[in-house]
Amino acid sequence: MGISFMIFWVHYGNNKCQAKDERGVKAFSFCKRRNLLLTGGMGRIIRVWNPYLPGKPTGMLKSHMAPVVYIHVSAEDNKIFSMSTDNTIKAQTRVFPALPS
């Protein structure tokens, strides 16, 4: 009984990117500069989605020990900042293929 969502990029026609998380999505962040969507939630995983590759995430960060409630992408610094319900703040500098320098 999780939350899933579907996003349509209207200017790309009927292409869809569907992101699913069985435990529920609590936070998301869109990086316009890199054209990426990041989601996080009850599963404690931050997923990186590329709208050109719909269906499954292009990357995952598995460092939180509690549900993720906030995500921010700093495209200039190539960092991902996130916070979980146990008040842990993470600054991730891992680079995925979806996050070009």
Side-chain angles (χ1 to χ4, degrees):
M1 189 166 342
I3 299 169
S4 66
F5 57 95
M6 187 174 291
I7 298 171
F8 294 89
W9 280 264
V10 177
H11 59 285
Y12 296 129
N14 289 330
N15 292 340
K16 302 176 213 177
C17 178
Q18 183 177 4
K20 289 185 180 180
D21 187 339
E22 298 302 322
R23 293 186 177 192
V25 174
K26 294 285 190 185
F28 67 92
S29 180
F30 181 71
C31 179
K32 186 175 181 179
R33 183 174 174 193
R34 306 241 190 237
N35 199 28
L36 295 174
L37 176 69
L38 284 83
T39 61
M42 300 302 290
R44 305 178 319 235
I45 299 171
I46 297 173
R47 290 176 173 83
V48 181
W49 303 89
N50 183 331
Y52 297 109
L53 303 170
K56 60 181 183 177
T58 57
M60 293 193 286
L61 294 168
K62 300 179 181 181
S63 63
H64 280 286
M65 302 303 285
V68 178
V69 293
Y70 178 79
I71 303 171
H72 173 76
V73 180
S74 175
E76 297 79 24
D77 300 329
N78 206 23
K79 291 184 182 176
I80 298 169
F81 298 94
S82 57
M83 187 175 92
S84 55
T85 56
D86 62 356
N87 294 323
T88 300
I89 298 173
K90 303 262 182 173
Q92 314 256 355
T93 56
R94 299 175 83 182
V95 179
F96 292 101
L99 286 173
S101 357

